[in-house]
Amino acid sequence: MSGRLRVLPLGGVGEIGKNMTVVEYDGRIVVIDCGLRFPTADMMGIDLVLPDFTYLREHVDAIEAIVITHGHEDHLGALPWVLRELGQTSVPVVYGGQLTVAMARSKLDEHKLREVNLQVLPVGDTAQAGPFTIERIHLTHSIPDAGGVALTCPLGTVLFTGDYKFDQTPVGGPPADMARLAELGRERLLLLCGDSTNADRPGVSDSESVVGPNLERVFHHCKGRIVVTCFASNIHRVQQVVDAAIANDRKVSLVGRSMRKNVNIGRSLGHISVPDGLLVQPREVDQFPDERLVIISTGSQGEPLSALRRMAYRDHPQVELKRGDTVVFSATPIPGNERAVNETIDRLYHIGCDVVTARDAPIHASGHGYAEELKMMLNLTRPRYFMPVHGDFKRMKLHAELAQAVGIPGDAIFRLENGTPLEIDGDGARLGDPETAGLVFVDGVDIGDVADVALRDRRMLSADGILIIVATISEQDGSSVVAPEVLARGVPFLDDDGQVVDEVRDAVEDSLDRAAEQRVTEIDVIEEMLHDDVAAFLYNKLRRRPMVLPVVVEV
């Protein structure tokens, strides 16, 4: 054996979302996954969060391929942004399963990236990418065409599980290819990079096949309209909702752009079967009796712009929820989304809707394996080295403990951070020197590293408001010419009679007088003095720190 293998996570380690890993051997690179995550509540105005792919930009000529394990946003969603920045022809090929490639093509078309070489790599087939042999291995998840990726180089084979569970009775397709996993184990797998999402849940996850009959039972007891929300990419779940609607003699309406798009892709590939005449356009839902209608909607995670969230806040242009509607959450909150989901549910109760969640009935099955399934993966593949991924630090630690429980030595287990490479050669494995990693924000149509100061300013505006001061001074001596204007927006505790505003004007006059006495004539210096003086006054008066923007005009 010769050469050195580097496995560099740029996202998805110590967090849930934005999965991206660089695998490098002999100076050549294969990228596994290209995901994003959604912003947290304190990321004001940010639309999406991507991995920092500076390393890829700096080594773009070394990239042989990108391989996407499956079509969920946290594994696929960043692909258009990355290819737009790197150049859509700079990556020789992007591999994935049939559904994954179709979803990727749809996303790339929206970004007018039509020259990208997308190729379907069927499970069991192999492709060569520089020194790597790429193989997709069939695994079961909550979306069709999910699979692990085995990368073989002269040093050995690395297996990325992607998201998986060992579902013995999956809704569509066969169970996971446990025989191939065991074969990799017999061949002495070099490194396993395993999904840690449910490492904190003991036992074995429920089969997806139990969800359909339970949905039928829930529908049977509902008198009015039914709104079901689930992940738009959970094609199997959408099929089960459709089947439950048919069993209860109800029509179906798809609400949400991503829901309609993914169902159309699923139907074209044969993953979803919808009888002719079953679907109703969203604008026509009011024309059908409540007891004859099921609405399938996006918004299971409380996303601000999703269809269900807009319905809950009475902001949806076509569907208005009302007392007697039943909203079924056929999903569980992703860690970090609990607050947004709870707020949405509370708004639904305020309207008068009934709400059914996975706590109330077994209407959801996780797509990620529980602890016993993670141990099964470890026992089947018997890796020489193990690296938990796809989880926060707590879940990665628990996954590492599961690995030790099945006999993997502690010094062969590596819990990394984004940007820290694992380096393996003939002498063993060790951590390498850190590389650039972090967050890249999508804000509107722009992409980049929004400076911390910008987010801090947005948080300040949301908390304490803004105060704009317009001061007019003499060009000759800097004295105040007319009374300063004070404009306040969102500043709490300003009294109605304007007393505080008058006191702010007095503080501005005092600051201008001090600047005139000190013969300060530079506009930027005067504005700085105004900012500091007014900010200090407001804090002493209100114990608040609104953003203060002074504007000085000379006449």
Side-chain angles (χ1 to χ4, degrees), residues 149-195:
V149 177
L151 288 183
T152 302
C153 68
L155 201 60
T157 299
V158 181
L159 174 62
F160 292 84
T161 66
D163 295 348
Y164 75 96
K165 64 188 290 188
F166 287 114
D167 191 340
Q168 303 304 313
T169 54
V171 170
D177 191 350
M178 297 171 72
R180 180 62 183 130
L181 295 173
E183 192 175 353
L184 289 174
R186 287 193 297 271
E187 294 168 356
R188 192 57 168 145
L189 183 69
L190 179 64
L191 172 67
L192 173 66
C193 298
D195 173 19

Side-chain angles (χ1 to χ4, degrees), residues 58-364:
E58 294 172 348
H59 298 82
V60 63
D61 294 335
I63 300 175
E64 296 283 353
I66 295 176
V67 188
I68 308 297
T69 58
H70 63 281
H72 282 153
E73 291 290 293
D74 59 335
H75 293 258
L76 172 65
L79 185 64
W81 309 97
V82 171
L83 291 179
R84 195 180 78 180
E85 293 295 308
L86 297 182
Q88 56 180 314
T89 59
S90 61
V91 177
V93 60
V94 178
Y95 289 117
Q98 187 184 47
L99 177 63
T100 307
V101 166
M103 296 174 79
R105 173 57 66 198
S106 176
K107 289 180 177 295
L108 295 173
D109 284 348
E110 290 180 3
H111 288 253
K112 297 180 172 57
L113 300 173
R114 299 186 174 91
E115 298 177 25
V116 178
N117 181 18
L118 286 168
Q119 291 191 25
V120 175
L121 182 62
V123 291
D125 288 6
T126 61
Q128 202 65 33
F132 296 100
T133 300
I134 303 172
E135 178 188 0
R136 291 184 60 248
I137 298 169
H138 172 67
L139 295 173
T140 50
H141 184 42
S142 56
I143 185 173
D145 276 341
V149 177
L151 288 183
T152 302
C153 68
L155 201 60
T157 299
V158 181
L159 174 62
F160 292 84
T161 66
D163 295 348
Y164 75 96
K165 64 188 290 188
F166 287 114
D167 191 340
Q168 303 304 313
T169 54
V171 170
D177 191 350
M178 297 171 72
R180 180 62 183 130
L181 295 173
E183 192 175 353
L184 289 174
R186 287 193 297 271
E187 294 168 356
R188 192 57 168 145
L189 183 69
L190 179 64
L191 172 67
L192 173 66
C193 298
D195 173 19
S196 306
T197 306
N198 278 339
D200 59 334
R201 303 180 75 169
V204 178
S205 62
D206 291 333
S207 170
E208 180 70 22
S209 61
V210 307
V211 175
N214 289 312
L215 283 171
E216 283 191 32
R217 280 191 285 272
V218 170
F219 286 13
H220 180 72
H221 292 95
C222 293
K223 303 302 182 186
R225 287 188 306 183
I226 302 171
V227 180
V228 180
T229 181
C230 62
F231 289 106
S233 55
N234 195 339
I235 304 295
H236 293 150
R237 188 66 49 78
V238 174
Q239 179 69 70
Q240 290 175 312
V241 175
V242 168
D243 292 343
I246 294 171
N248 285 272
D249 195 25
R250 289 175 180 255
K251 298 284 189 180
V252 173
S253 181
L254 304 174
V255 179
R257 187 177 64 89
S258 59
M259 181 66 71
R260 293 193 298 272
K261 182 178 71 172
N262 287 340
V263 168
N264 287 335
I265 293 172
R267 293 180 75 181
S268 68
L269 297 177
H271 291 297
I272 294 184
S273 175
V274 181
D276 292 339
L278 182 74
L279 293 181
V280 174
Q281 291 296 322
R283 63 177 178 273
E284 299 172 348
V285 296
D286 291 335
Q287 300 174 20
F288 288 82
D290 291 350
E291 67 275 8
R292 293 288 312 282
L293 192 65
V294 173
I295 297 169
I296 309 178
S297 168
T298 57
S300 65
Q301 300 301 308
E303 305 95 315
L305 299 180
S306 65
L308 182 64
R309 178 87 168 192
R310 295 180 67 186
M311 291 181 212
Y313 284 84
R314 299 195 179 280
D315 186 37
H316 196 277
Q318 294 162 325
V319 180
E320 183 175 349
L321 296 179
K322 59 188 178 183
R323 185 176 300 277
D325 291 343
T326 299
V327 181
V328 178
F329 278 78
S330 190
T332 54
I334 295 172
N337 290 356
E338 295 89 351
R339 179 179 175 182
V341 173
N342 290 336
E343 287 176 353
T344 302
I345 290 174
D346 202 55
R347 291 296 306 176
L348 295 171
Y349 277 120
H350 180 73
I351 292 171
C353 301
D354 294 321
V355 179
V356 180
T357 70
R359 289 183 176 182
D360 308 310
I363 53 172
H364 174 67

Side-chain angles (χ1 to χ4, degrees), residues 511 526-536 546-550:
S511 185
I526 297 174
E527 289 179 344
E528 185 177 339
M529 292 177 66
L530 275 175
H531 173 276
D532 293 346
D533 292 344
V534 173
M547 181 176 288
V548 178
L549 292 182

